[in-house]
Amino acid sequence: KLYEAHQYKKGLKTCDQILKKCPDHGETHAVKGLFLSNLERKDEAYESIKHGLEISPRSSLSWHINGIVNRGDNNFEEAIKCYEEALKGDSENINILRDLAHLQVYLRQPTKLIDTRQRLAKLNSLFVPFWLGLAHTYHMLGKYDMAVKTISANEEQMKNEPGYGPYEISETLMYKNWLIELKGDYQQALEHLKEIRPKILDVTGWKEQKANLLFKVGRKETAAMAYQDLIERNPDNKEYIYGYISCNGLDVKQPEDEDAALEVILTLQQQFPSSNTLRFMPLTFSNGENFAKAADSVAKHALRKGIPSLFISMKVLYDNQAKSKALGELFDSYAVQLRDTKRFSDSTEDEAASVLMWCTFYLAQHWDYHGDHERALQLIEEAIKASPETVELYAVKAKILKHAGDIRGARDTMDFARQMDLKDRYVNTKAVKYMLRNNDVVEAEKNMVLFVRDDASHKIQEIVDTQAIWYMRERGHAYRRLGDIGRALKQYHQVLSSFDTYRTDEYDFHSYSLRKATMRAYDDILKWEDQVFSDSVYVDSARAAIECYIDLHDRKTAGKPFDAIAEKKDKPMTRNGSSKQGQHNLSAGVDEVKVAEVDKDPSGATYVDAECHLSEALKYVEKLESAVGTQPATHALAFEVHLRMKKYFLALKSINSLKAIDSSHPSLIPMVVRLVNGLESDTSFAAPMKAALKAQLDKSFGEVTIEGTIKANDRSLDYVLAGAKALVAIGGDSNLELARSMLADAASEKYGETRTLSNLLEAKDLLIKAGGSLESHLPELAKEAKVVFPLSTCF
């Protein structure tokens, strides 16, 4: 009772009193460990539980508690072992079986889960969450027929189950209908859908399913009417519109259906003139004259309305070169017409002055997209002159300067925009981001905390607690550019920890969703959680953390270990805005308080002083291999770690994985050369295994060299960078000199469009790492880079 009431200190005191009288009572020791764990005394908790198990090794309660504590510490595999041990002593304990089931679904073990769910349903077949859980497990296994049978056999029980009202019944019936659809019996699903209509509260969901099933059974005319009904409810839903078009026997991806599809959409536009989706949709699949006509309609409407996000909407079309060119010509013609006559060619009245301003605003973004930053800057200045009070203009100017390489100018411009409206959270956020891009960490922090709630005890910690992952990631990148690897790692780990929290938060839904019968949403949650670690923010932060650990290892190996930079400013912002060390209180349970200490390691010394930096990096390499194993960069990073750990077979595996994804990847041959070099220089590696590895490399790649690969791809800077990176890693005077000469020429005209700003900055960093001369190599690169990016200030 004390545990359920969260009175952990009273519970601990009670356990101690019992143990004074019965010191060898194993289960009391285990319960004491449970209370200690919730009081954050983890080591003592595990020791107490271990002692209890030594006294009573077959105690089901002790093993269950051990599982609960391990689960709380995210030791899920160990927790499952503990639950299985607990069941050996009490095979029909519903609480243990339920906890085991939740962990099995969390770890995606459906083949084991099915047995647990069946046991639960057998023990209490009248309890709705148990048979719903069993049905969903069949769903996970693809046994849809069994899932439907399970619900059919038990759904009547919901009427008599406390807590299950009309909403829960509605959700369960819609879930059952979805399962019937999944097993491929569309006609049965349609008949079932009609049958359950009086019990369904999710009317929109029911109508969507009706339209979907009518189309699947071939009743396209009736399906079109169903989609028409849905469009009337929401004329901006793309799925409804595409469904309606499909019901008319048209496929927008087929050129021969273009005219007919446009006619259908035009009819819908007349019925729903306020729909922006219907207005924009023709642009996505039309071409030539049809595209020009549709673009003209969309553009004029947006310019007259003064919609700042017009270019962002149009940007998705820019992958098509013809459409990109057509849009540029269209807006150029608008600008000429408006400057000369103050009206469009087909207008009879003058347009407002703001129309020309927004047209110029669009063109600035258009030319920025195409890399003509000087022209873009000229246009945005023209727009600003016409409307100096419009904040969006300065935001785009900052973006143009950023793309042009003037990071400081971008930061100052965005800060100017911020000061125009100090209450605008979005503009403040963008300004903070630009400050971090300019490495102004302190200034960024001051502005970031402006929008943190006033009653927050420590404002920086509040940012971490609210999981502002964009800020933590950008701050990490800033610290890394400043050379403060410890603080950079601190920020990256905060981002990665946030994603771990997203993943562990799933655990709460395994019980909740079954109790509330929200099975369709539950399945969506599981699918989202399955790909959470493939999010671009997570991937970028994990890669950056791996590179930091590699850097720490290389410095340590070279005899120049990195020392965590001593804390100067990073004291937590308190609610009055001042920096102050100290402690604050948090709730530890009912009527109990525990002291929460302020972060004692703001400099990231814990990460810097890790016993094995490569082992830390390997943890994230394995996560990336699991989550984004189809991305080449994952295997390139894995190779870097495995090679340094002298795990040559794993390094070969990384090479083969990269080759399977992209056999012409710039890093592939340099990786092969580095592996061969590593094998030759490692005298401790067994000769037979060394010979086997070399034979495999020879069979797959033959005789290859870095110089030969660069020569074969002499128009791509990407190959130069990959080759130079490998040469620097291998070392040696001749290799370093070759790298320096290639990198100093990185901005040469022969590399064409591969001379991106990021590539040239990487060339600069590699040149410094290769020992490039401040008198010759670096000035040479800077001079040529200025030709490519004349506005840049970062070379």
Side-chain angles (χ1 to χ4, degrees):
K1 290 182 179 180
L2 291 174
Y3 175 73
E4 292 175 354
H6 305 292
Q7 295 181 345
Y8 306 129
K9 288 186 177 180
K10 291 181 180 179
L12 180 61
K13 186 176 180 180
T14 302
C15 287
D16 286 333
Q17 291 171 349
I18 295 172
L19 289 172
K20 284 181 181 180
K21 298 178 181 178
C22 306
D24 293 329
H25 194 265
E27 292 184 345
T28 302
H29 281 286
V31 173
K32 178 181 178 181
L34 183 60
F35 286 119
L36 286 168
S37 175
N38 282 277
L39 290 170
E40 302 301 323
R41 294 162 63 178
K42 299 292 184 181
D43 292 339
E44 295 175 70
Y46 282 110
E47 189 61 35
S48 183
I49 294 170
K50 181 181 177 182
H51 185 52
L53 286 169
E54 288 173 351
I55 297 171
S56 306
R58 296 184 179 180
S59 169
S60 176
L61 176 62
S62 297
W63 279 111
H64 190 193
I65 288 173
N66 196 11
I68 291 172
V69 172
N70 274 284
R71 185 198 69 197
D73 292 337
N74 298 338
N75 301 322
F76 301 118
E77 295 284 359
E78 187 63 30
I80 283 182
K81 293 177 184 178
C82 293
Y83 292 148
E84 290 172 344
E85 285 293 330
L87 288 170
K88 290 178 181 179
D90 189 357
S91 61
E92 296 186 352
N93 187 306
I94 285 180
N95 290 329
I96 300 173
L97 285 167
R98 182 168 48 200
D99 287 348
L100 176 61
H102 292 166
L103 277 184
Q104 286 172 334
V105 68
Y106 180 84
L107 295 177
R108 306 296 188 270
Q109 298 177 347
T111 53
K112 294 181 179 180
L113 174 63
I114 192 68
D115 176 64
T116 308
R117 291 293 192 197
Q118 287 172 342
R119 291 165 70 180
L120 280 167
K122 186 177 180 181
L123 287 169
N124 189 351
S125 60
L126 299 178
F127 190 50
V128 174
F130 288 172
W131 57 259
L132 267 182
L134 178 60
H136 186 263
T137 306
Y138 283 128
H139 178 183
M140 293 176 70
L141 290 167
K143 298 181 179 181
Y144 306 121
D145 192 52
M146 289 297 296
V148 172
K149 288 180 180 178
T150 301
I151 294 177
S152 298
N154 296 279
E155 61 183 286
E156 286 299 317
Q157 297 171 10
M158 293 188 74
K159 297 177 182 178
N160 304 317
E161 185 74 16
Y164 284 83
Y167 174 80
E168 289 76 16
I169 292 172
S170 171
E171 284 295 306
T172 302
L173 291 173
M174 286 298 293
Y175 177 57
K176 178 183 176 181
N177 187 263
W178 181 37
L179 290 171
I180 298 172
E181 178 195 356
L182 289 175
K183 74 173 186 173
D185 195 339
Y186 303 133
Q187 185 60 45
Q188 183 190 349
L190 185 59
E191 292 171 1
H192 176 259
L193 191 70
K194 292 178 181 177
E195 178 186 328
I196 64 175
R197 175 62 188 91
K199 300 177 182 178
I200 300 303
L201 300 181
D202 180 8
V203 177
T204 300
W206 187 89
K207 287 177 177 287
E208 289 172 347
Q209 183 69 339
K210 177 186 175 183
N212 170 48
L213 291 173
L214 284 168
F215 179 79
K216 286 186 174 181
V217 299
R219 296 170 58 183
K220 294 185 178 180
E221 187 174 332
T222 312
M225 295 173 62
Y227 276 117
Q228 175 84 19
D229 180 40
L230 286 167
I231 293 170
E232 289 176 2
R233 296 172 70 92
N234 182 2
D236 283 304
N237 188 300
K238 292 181 183 178
E239 297 302 319
Y240 298 167
I241 299 168
Y242 280 126
Y244 182 77
I245 292 172
S246 298
C247 290
N248 283 272
L250 303 172
D251 183 353
V252 296
K253 295 180 181 178
Q254 300 300 323
E256 59 269 20
D257 288 345
E258 181 181 317
D259 290 337
L262 284 171
E263 189 175 335
V264 171
I265 290 180
L266 182 61
T267 302
L268 290 173
Q269 283 179 348
Q270 292 172 351
Q271 296 177 44
F272 310 103
S274 63
S275 171
N276 290 321
T277 301
L278 284 168
R279 187 179 294 109
F280 183 82
M281 189 174 284
L283 297 176
T284 61
F285 63 85
S286 61
N287 296 282
E289 289 296 324
N290 287 334
F291 176 80
K293 186 177 179 180
D296 182 62
S297 172
V298 171
K300 286 178 179 175
H301 172 81
L303 293 176
R304 286 166 173 155
K305 289 283 187 179
I307 300 174
S309 60
L310 176 60
F311 181 79
I312 302 301
S313 300
M314 295 288 201
K315 192 175 178 180
V316 297
L317 307 171
Y318 273 60
D319 288 338
N320 184 311
Q321 191 173 355
K323 291 183 178 182
S324 172
K325 182 180 178 182
L327 287 170
E329 292 173 349
L330 179 67
F331 279 87
D332 274 332
S333 68
Y334 287 165
V336 172
Q337 295 165 21
L338 291 167
R339 289 191 186 102
D340 292 347
T341 66
K342 297 184 180 180
R343 64 181 64 174
F344 294 115
S345 59
D346 59 350
S347 299
T348 57
E349 297 180 1
D350 290 353
E351 302 290 344
S354 62
V355 175
L356 176 58
M357 184 272 288
W358 289 118
C359 180
T360 309
F361 177 67
Y362 182 96
L363 284 169
Q365 295 173 87
H366 172 84
W367 292 114
D368 175 53
Y369 178 90
H370 287 290
D372 192 343
H373 305 304
E374 290 181 282
R375 186 173 181 179
L377 195 60
Q378 181 182 353
L379 287 164
I380 200 63
E381 290 288 5
E382 182 182 327
I384 289 173
K385 185 177 180 181
S387 181
E389 72 285 352
T390 305
V391 175
E392 289 85 355
L393 304 181
Y394 297 95
V396 166
K397 180 183 177 181
K399 181 170 69 173
I400 294 169
L401 290 170
K402 178 188 72 173
H403 293 164
D406 186 1
I407 308 300
R408 179 70 193 185
R411 174 244 188 262
D412 291 342
T413 301
M414 200 64 229
D415 190 46
F416 180 81
R418 179 187 70 82
Q419 294 180 49
M420 290 175 68
D421 186 356
L422 295 174
K423 294 183 179 181
D424 191 316
R425 184 188 293 266
Y426 172 76
V427 175
N428 185 77
T429 296
K430 293 294 288 186
V432 168
K433 194 171 186 178
Y434 276 81
M435 289 172 184
L436 290 172
R437 294 278 175 89
N438 194 53
N439 303 334
D440 297 334
V441 179
V442 175
E443 190 67 22
E445 181 181 301
K446 288 179 180 177
N447 287 286
M448 184 65 183
V449 299
L450 292 175
F451 283 88
V452 174
R453 59 190 179 90
D454 292 335
D455 62 341
S457 299
H458 298 90
K459 294 197 171 185
I460 295 301
Q461 186 58 41
E462 180 71 10
I463 294 171
V464 176
D465 292 342
T466 54
Q467 298 176 328
I469 54 177
W470 69 268
Y471 174 75
M472 294 183 279
R473 179 178 66 153
E474 290 293 343
R475 199 178 188 206
H477 290 340
Y479 277 131
R480 190 179 174 197
R481 288 190 294 267
L482 291 168
D484 192 341
I485 304 176
R487 280 184 169 82
L489 275 171
K490 180 77 175 181
Q491 299 301 311
Y492 295 141
H493 274 278
Q494 287 174 340
V495 174
L496 301 174
S497 177
S498 294
F499 279 87
D500 289 336
T501 301
Y502 302 157
R503 181 71 176 90
T504 54
D505 281 349
E506 175 202 313
Y507 190 86
D508 296 332
F509 288 92
H510 299 312
S511 174
Y512 174 85
S513 297
L514 296 180
R515 285 188 289 107
K516 295 296 183 180
T518 54
M519 304 306 294
R520 293 177 297 163
Y522 178 50
D523 197 70
D524 288 340
I525 289 170
L526 296 186
K527 289 176 181 176
W528 182 83
E529 291 284 4
D530 284 341
Q531 52 79 47
V532 68
F533 293 123
S534 63
D535 185 274
S536 60
V537 176
Y538 181 88
V539 172
D540 179 60
S541 300
R543 286 175 181 165
I546 292 168
E547 289 168 355
C548 285
Y549 279 122
I550 291 172
D551 192 6
L552 289 172
H553 168 81
D554 290 348
R555 289 170 184 247
K556 190 175 181 180
T557 303
K560 300 176 181 178
F562 176 84
D563 290 326
I565 298 174
E567 180 182 358
K568 293 179 181 178
K569 193 269 163 200
D570 273 19
K571 295 179 180 179
M573 286 283 188
T574 57
R575 66 179 61 166
N576 62 7
S578 65
S579 295
K580 171 183 165 184
Q581 290 282 22
Q583 299 175 329
H584 59 287
N585 293 329
L586 296 174
S587 174
V590 177
D591 298 326
E592 297 175 4
V593 171
K594 66 178 179 181
V595 176
E597 295 181 349
V598 173
D599 185 5
K600 291 184 176 181
D601 184 25
S603 63
T606 303
Y607 307 111
V608 173
D609 298 335
E611 185 176 348
C612 180
H613 296 123
L614 294 180
S615 295
E616 297 299 317
L618 188 60
K619 295 176 185 177
Y620 293 105
V621 165
E622 290 171 347
K623 276 198 171 184
L624 291 180
E625 285 177 329
S626 174
V628 286
T630 57
Q631 296 183 9
T634 297
H635 303 290
L637 268 180
F639 172 83
E640 297 289 345
V641 176
H642 293 319
L643 185 65
R644 285 168 172 80
M645 297 182 81
K646 299 186 178 181
K647 295 182 177 180
Y648 301 119
F649 282 99
L650 289 177
L652 176 61
K653 180 184 176 184
S654 297
I655 290 174
N656 290 333
S657 297
L658 178 57
K659 183 182 178 183
I661 297 170
D662 184 359
S663 59
S664 61
H665 193 276
S667 295
L668 187 60
I669 299 305
M671 285 163 61
V672 173
V673 173
R674 285 180 63 191
L675 179 54
V676 172
N677 180 77
L679 288 169
E680 291 176 348
S681 61
D682 188 355
T683 57
S684 64
F685 193 58
M689 290 191 288
K690 186 182 294 188
L693 274 169
K694 285 185 176 181
Q696 182 63 46
L697 288 169
D698 287 340
K699 181 180 178 182
S700 300
F701 300 97
E703 290 292 330
V704 291
T705 62
I706 293 173
E707 297 93 320
T709 303
I710 293 174
K711 187 175 181 180
N713 301 275
D714 59 355
R715 297 293 177 181
S716 173
L717 182 55
D718 295 317
Y719 283 87
V720 171
L721 293 174
K725 183 179 178 182
L727 291 170
V728 172
I730 294 170
D733 292 342
S734 60
N735 286 331
L736 291 175
E737 181 53 41
L738 177 58
R740 288 193 289 266
S741 63
M742 291 191 303
L743 292 168
D745 194 38
S748 173
E749 188 176 352
K750 66 181 178 180
Y751 296 125
E753 293 183 357
T754 63
R755 297 174 298 172
T756 62
L757 183 62
S758 60
N759 273 353
L760 291 178
L761 288 174
E762 183 180 351
K764 176 186 174 183
D765 292 340
L766 277 172
L767 188 53
I768 294 171
K769 196 172 182 180
S773 169
L774 295 174
E775 289 75 32
S776 58
H777 297 112
L778 286 167
E780 182 183 344
L781 174 61
K783 181 180 178 182
E784 292 189 12
K786 270 287 189 179
V787 175
V788 186
F789 292 97
L791 301 174
S792 65
T793 59
C794 50
F795 294 104

